[in-house]
Amino acid sequence: MRTSLVLLSARLLDPVTGEFLPQTALAAADGRITALGDTRDIRALADASTTVIDLNGAVVTPGLVDGHIHPVTGAELTHGLDLTGCEDVEQVRTALARAVRDLAPGAWLHGWGLDPNVFAGAPVETAPFDAVLDGVPALMLLFDAHSMLASRRALELAGVTGPRTFDQATAAVVCDADGRPTGLLLEEAACALVERAAPQPTRDERRERLAAVLRAMAATGLTGGHAMDAGGDSLAFYAELDAAGDLPLRLRVAPWCQPGTDADGLRTLIEQQGAGGRLWRTDGVKIFMDGTIDNGTAWLEHPDCHGESRHAFWPDPEEYTRVVGELHRAGVPIATHAIGDAAVRHVLDAVEKAQSDDPRPVRHRIEHIETVPDDTLRRFADLGVIASMQPTHCCDFTRADHTDNWSRRLGEERAARAWRCRDLHDSGAVVVLGSDWPIAPYPPSAVMAGARHRRPSRDLTRPPHGPHQALTALEALQGMTVNAAYAAGEEHEAGRITVGHRADLTVFADNPLTTAATDLPDLPVLLTVLDGDPTHRDPRL
């Protein structure tokens, strides 16, 4: 067996104990760690074909894995005008005006990352931008990717003139009192009405966007991700990049199960489990139980301050329960988007029922879990349900004083229960961390930092939202290493630096556990290794 990679003069960090291993070098072959030892012994394993890298004391962790990303969707949505830096309506208007000046006649304007807090409590609609977008077809994706604003011209071209009904119970074309669309489209089904009218990129353009995004992810230290969609060409793109040796992340892909999925659809989802290639596989099913709090489509036990967020995404929540039972009996792990407290509770109830009918061990997950009452916490551990959390959403889209849209909608009691990472961890739940990119930036150092400091990344001098819910540095690292491996059923081969495990590694210039949380996003990633091959290498190495 030929040694393909040797790393020397390293500090090898164990994410279970937080201590450095006694060894200072490692060797890899056939995508696995084959030896740990001192620099002299490991160097002797190299031959002329081996990649040998002297790390000069840099810190090696197991490869970092994002527990919730949307690579293909994100690559498609994050093109055009970046609105993430806009903090009020005037800044959005200025950004749009600048983009319109550069727009070719008749071309569509695409924007993304719009924060509803820019409207300062006023209705989220296109009216403030009508003058700037006069005659311009424009789509502005809100940061949650569950809603968008469409200009009057875009609605006209799409033939959207009034309300519609959808299988997705919370989807809507929002209209005023006279039945005229305001421009706000809620949930994927409504957004698709207008998106279909816009010019579409070619398949080659979409694949290259995806490849570029994945390369950029690898440069931040990511070696893997749990991809929470598989629509359109996603699986074909992964297969093509993998076959060409151009897939720089190991991906675990969960296709969607939507309301209205019939018996044949469920059978197809079950049959495609395990399909994949060298660096990707289909494993699990993604289901939505609700939408988002910011646009009033979450499922809350008590309505928000506008009387919204009262309904499940599934018109009949018991149909969701039946689907969960069928997938559970087939051994298929379920990852359910559940943001509101009623949604989380219903998912837990559905898993409990599935387990009572069939006690087989299946590692189900709940994604997001933005606000939950005390009596739900312990149920995660009792049922073995994994808590998949995105702490940077709390950092960047809410405020410590609860003046943001999310908190105002919920009120003080529920806003005080924001992203309970600490409480879920302490109650025994396995907490996996991720970005939900493109909703929030994907660099894993920023995700781990946010879990620790819970401050707005744009201004770290601002107070944290719920600092008592912060994780320690070691817990945050575990959320993207050992816990991510456990969630994928891969703890026997991933998440630690040990002989026989995958040679998926992230190398930092210094120890991420002793680097201050506010400094962690700037800690250089010197090397990323996937399956024993470098996917990113800093020029300093």
Side-chain angles (χ1 to χ4, degrees), residues 21-152:
L21 299 177
Q23 299 92 345
T24 59
L26 67 80
D30 296 333
R32 301 279 170 169
I33 298 172
T34 55
L36 299 174
D38 63 31
T39 291
R40 187 175 68 176
D41 290 342
I42 298 300
R43 188 191 295 273
L45 299 176
D47 60 25
S49 65
T50 303
T51 299
V52 179
I53 303 176
D54 191 326
L55 296 181
N56 297 309
V59 175
V60 182
T61 72
L64 299 177
V65 175
D66 191 311
H68 189 123
I69 54 172
H70 301 274
V72 176
T73 305
E76 294 175 0
L77 295 180
T78 56
H79 72 285
L81 180 61
D82 183 354
L83 297 170
T84 57
C86 297
E87 297 186 356
D88 55 42
V89 163
E90 188 54 41
Q91 289 183 11
V92 176
R93 192 181 289 118
T94 299
L96 291 173
R98 188 181 306 116
V100 167
R101 285 197 298 271
D102 297 333
L103 205 62
W108 284 62
L109 189 158
H110 292 268
W112 60 279
L114 181 63
D115 187 340
N117 284 302
V118 303
F119 294 91
V124 179
E125 58 186 9
T126 55
F129 315 120
D130 282 347
V132 174
L133 298 175
D134 184 27
V136 176
L139 293 175
M140 292 170 281
L141 186 73
L142 272 72
F143 81 87
D144 61 8
H146 281 251
S147 50
M148 66 171 46
L149 288 175
S151 69
R152 296 189 185 281

